[in-house]
Amino acid sequence: MINILKLATRPEYVASLAVGFVAILAGCDSSSNAKLANQGPPPAVVTVAQPVAKDVVEWDEYTGRLEAVQVVEVRARVSGYISQVNFKDGAKVKKGDLLYVIDPRPYIAERDRTAAEVERVSAQLELAKNDLARAERLLKSRAISEEEYDTRSKGVRQQEAALRSAEAVLQEAKLNVEFTQLRAPIDGIISRTLKTVGNLVVGGSNSGEATLLTTMGSIDPIYVYIDADEQSVLKYRRLAREGLRESARHGPIPMELELADEKNFPHKGFTDFVEPRLDPTTGTVRARGVFPNPDDQLSPGFFVRVRVHGSGTYPALLVSDAAIGADQEKKFVLVVNGDNVVEYRAVKPGPFIDGLRVIREGLKPGDWVIVNGLQRVLPGVKVNTEKVAMASLAKGRGANAAATDGEKLPPRKQDDMEKATPKKQKAGARQ
């Protein structure tokens, strides 16, 4: 025991013990590292969902322009000075509301004069009838000649014609008095007045002569006009022949509309007219839709987004746009098979419907599609999964979400997916 303690106190012995201890520790560490290296990193965790399978109808989108169903130019029908303007510029008016008053006094005087003329001619007619009655009695007694009798008979007819003429002039005078009050011909919104009180206006039946006072347009319902290209028109006619979609030429079809600050096409209407001829200068056919507008939210002149049925009803698989990656011009999704191994699937996307993207080719109903974690995995690697419902990933329609070209995704969405896809993953997909 004493010898061992003495050795422990010697410097060379302590140094040898330290070297041995370090060697032991190094051996333990290397074996531990080798064990960890053999295990490798844990599998990545990704979120997967199965495609939604349901019957869908595709919509084709167009840019449309709103127009009033009725547009009226309010023009003077008689000449004179404006004495009243009875509306506020831009106000809503009802049919029959008084808009303008033209000084009626000259026309009232003319009406009264023609009324007196009617009374005068009427009295002359009565006198002529009395003369004819006496002539009939005198002719029987041979007291007058037949020539005299004919003169009095024709005199009655002349006075009858004069009375009808005077009554017509009186009717015209009454109309002129009525025309001094300009009333709203329709329900709608009136524009600003172009002539104020005290201005002289010229009346007449010719619009080139009559003074324009203001304009007004109807509110409810309202028209929307769209221009469909030739390829779309041919597609619609083919679908109509196959019985998959009704033709707008033969009956109304659903039409939906949204304003610039709206989404999901909240306004519902229908088509009511299609031009029978294609415009050769634009290569389009103009169609018209009718939309209710009780709250005056739609105004003439607005540019709007309009969509109509672009297909018949067909079964489809839908996935979230977040599940679709871009490999140059190709689109793909990653699915997890039964062994939890990632597989690459080239797909052909379709339109955006109810917040999800139609997949025309490349998927099956039971596939588990990676919807979150695309950037963390490559085809052929094993993963752990968290399952969610694809319907829960549906989102509102984006600016270009309802593109009808099945080969292209909306530009904004496509750019986002390309940014979200790592370069390594793209290279692996191409291999």
Side-chain angles (χ1 to χ4, degrees):
M1 178 66 68
I2 294 174
N3 292 334
I4 294 174
L5 290 176
K6 286 181 178 180
L7 290 173
T9 57
R10 296 178 62 180
E12 61 274 16
Y13 182 75
V14 173
S16 63
L17 288 176
V19 172
F21 184 70
V22 170
I24 293 172
L25 290 178
C28 293
D29 185 60
S30 60
S31 63
S32 176
N33 289 339
K35 184 177 180 181
L36 291 174
N38 292 333
Q39 289 181 349
V45 178
V46 295
T47 305
V48 296
Q50 288 185 326
V52 174
K54 66 177 182 179
D55 292 339
V56 298
V57 176
E58 294 180 12
W59 293 86
D60 289 348
E61 283 193 22
Y62 298 94
T63 298
R65 186 166 52 85
L66 297 177
E67 292 289 349
V69 173
Q70 294 177 289
V71 179
V72 179
E73 293 182 341
V74 180
R75 294 181 180 270
R77 303 184 70 174
V78 294
S79 300
Y81 289 90
I82 296 177
S83 60
Q84 295 180 35
V85 178
N86 294 333
F87 66 90
K88 182 180 179 181
D89 292 353
K92 289 183 180 180
V93 296
K94 294 288 187 180
K95 182 178 181 179
D97 287 352
L98 182 63
L99 304 178
Y100 294 92
V101 175
I102 297 173
D103 187 1
R105 292 174 295 178
Y107 298 100
I108 292 175
E110 179 65 15
R111 181 197 62 189
D112 293 343
R113 187 191 69 78
T114 55
E117 178 66 14
V118 169
E119 292 181 2
R120 186 186 68 79
V121 175
S122 179
Q124 289 181 343
L125 176 60
E126 290 180 6
L127 179 60
K129 287 181 177 180
N130 291 337
D131 289 343
L132 180 60
R134 285 193 296 268
E136 288 176 350
R137 293 193 300 270
L138 294 173
L139 181 62
K140 291 179 181 179
S141 62
R142 303 288 182 179
I144 61 172
S145 65
E146 291 185 2
E147 182 180 359
E148 180 67 18
Y149 174 79
D150 290 341
T151 300
R152 296 185 181 183
S153 175
K154 297 300 186 292
V156 171
R157 295 178 60 183
Q158 287 179 348
Q159 292 303 318
E160 288 176 343
L163 179 60
R164 290 194 298 271
S165 176
E167 288 175 342
V169 173
L170 175 60
Q171 182 63 28
E172 182 181 4
K174 289 180 178 179
L175 285 175
N176 287 338
V177 173
E178 183 179 336
F179 292 157
T180 61
Q181 296 185 349
L182 282 75
R183 299 183 179 274
I186 59 172
D187 294 342
I189 294 182
I190 196 164
S191 182
R192 65 184 180 90
T193 182
L194 302 178
K195 297 293 181 180
T196 55
V197 173
N199 279 281
L200 176 64
V201 297
V202 178
S205 57
N206 189 335
S207 62
E209 300 175 354
T211 302
L212 177 63
L213 301 177
T214 188
T215 57
M216 61 180 303
S218 61
I219 302 171
D220 185 23
I222 195 168
Y223 285 150
V224 62
Y225 288 91
I226 63 174
D227 294 314
D229 60 271
E230 185 176 351
Q231 292 297 324
S232 297
V233 173
L234 293 174
K235 180 184 73 169
Y236 299 149
R237 293 182 179 181
R238 175 179 54 78
L239 292 173
R241 289 195 304 269
E242 295 173 356
L244 300 177
R245 176 187 181 274
E246 186 175 3
S247 172
R249 296 183 299 169
H250 303 147
I253 61 173
M255 178 178 280
E256 298 182 354
L257 175 153
E258 70 180 17
L259 298 171
D261 63 343
E262 294 178 330
K263 292 184 178 180
N264 300 322
F265 299 90
H267 306 278
K268 313 299 180 184
F270 58 89
T271 60
D272 77 326
F273 169 75
V274 177
E275 285 283 1
R277 180 175 180 271
L278 182 139
D279 186 344
T281 60
T282 62
T284 60
V285 173
R286 176 156 293 186
R288 185 179 71 194
V290 182
F291 286 81
N293 189 31
D295 55 358
D296 190 23
Q297 191 174 1
L298 307 176
S299 295
F302 280 5
F303 283 93
V304 295
R305 293 296 295 171
V306 181
R307 68 179 187 178
V308 297
H309 282 176
S311 73
T313 303
Y314 65 91
L317 297 178
L318 299 95
V319 302
S320 170
D321 267 345
I324 303 175
D327 181 8
Q328 295 184 353
E329 294 299 322
K330 297 179 180 179
K331 304 299 181 296
F332 68 90
V333 298
L334 298 180
V335 301
V336 179
N337 62 20
D339 297 326
N340 279 1
V341 175
V342 178
E343 295 181 355
Y344 175 95
R345 297 282 181 84
V347 295
K348 183 179 179 181
F352 196 73
I353 298 177
D354 296 334
L356 298 173
R357 178 73 56 184
V358 172
I359 300 299
R360 300 189 188 279
E361 298 176 3
L363 277 184
K364 296 178 292 187
D367 287 336
W368 288 99
V369 181
I370 297 178
V371 295
N372 186 17
L374 280 173
Q375 68 275 16
R376 299 195 300 269
V377 296
L378 290 172
V381 303
K382 196 165 186 176
V383 295
N384 291 329
T385 60
E386 294 179 354
K387 297 180 180 180
V388 297
M390 188 69 75
S392 66
L393 304 176
K395 54 186 176 181
R397 173 190 168 278
N400 300 307
T404 58
D405 185 356
E407 300 298 328
K408 297 181 180 179
L409 292 175
R412 181 176 60 81
K413 295 292 183 183
Q414 182 172 333
D415 292 343
D416 290 347
M417 283 183 285
E418 289 178 350
K419 292 177 182 178
T421 306
K423 295 181 179 179
K424 291 183 179 179
Q425 180 172 331
K426 292 184 179 180
R430 288 193 293 271
Q431 293 173 359

